[in-house]
Amino acid sequence: MQNGVLTFQGTLQELQNKYKKTVIRFKTKLALKKFQKMAAVISSAQTDAEWICLNSEDGDETLKALVPFLGEISNISVQRESLENIFLKM
């Protein structure tokens, strides 16, 4: 509810599915530009010499696109948008 008006009606799972933003971080020696145009990637950054951070609209699709590179990446972490962040956006 926002300003007395319902902004969403549904289950928590439906709410999370509506906000699918995911952050994927990993270590690689590959160039950042290999990952910038991957499926669902909305922004990317190289945080230091070997760490890359991808912001994705659909983490599952981006992870599928990373499969061919699995032999050249390590320390993968995947973080979905938290319910707290979703509620703050509403």
Side-chain angles (χ1 to χ4, degrees):
M1 187 170 283
Q2 189 174 32
N3 297 327
V5 178
L6 285 174
T7 57
F8 179 81
Q9 188 169 346
T11 66
L12 285 176
Q13 185 62 46
E14 290 169 333
L15 182 62
Q16 280 186 308
N17 287 340
K18 184 178 175 186
Y19 293 89
K20 287 183 151 185
K21 293 215 169 87
T22 304
V23 176
I24 302 169
R25 286 180 35 92
F26 54 88
K27 238 177 141 171
T28 185
K29 293 183 189 269
L30 297 173
L32 175 62
K33 65 181 175 178
K34 286 199 175 275
F35 306 100
Q36 291 174 322
K37 303 261 188 218
M38 283 191 161
V41 172
I42 51 177
S43 67
S44 59
Q46 192 154 5
T47 56
D48 68 25
E50 294 184 343
W51 283 95
I52 289 182
C53 179
L54 303 176
N55 292 300
S56 173
E57 291 179 313
D58 186 337
D60 292 337
E61 287 303 311
T62 302
L63 285 171
K64 288 175 192 173
L66 282 171
V67 168
F69 300 99
L70 288 179
E72 299 177 77
I73 62 178
S74 63
N75 296 38
I76 301 169
S77 71
V78 179
Q79 183 178 358
R80 280 190 75 184
E81 193 150 28
S82 70
L83 283 174
E84 179 182 2
N85 286 343
I86 293 171
F87 287 133
L88 289 173
K89 288 179 181 180
M90 296 178 73

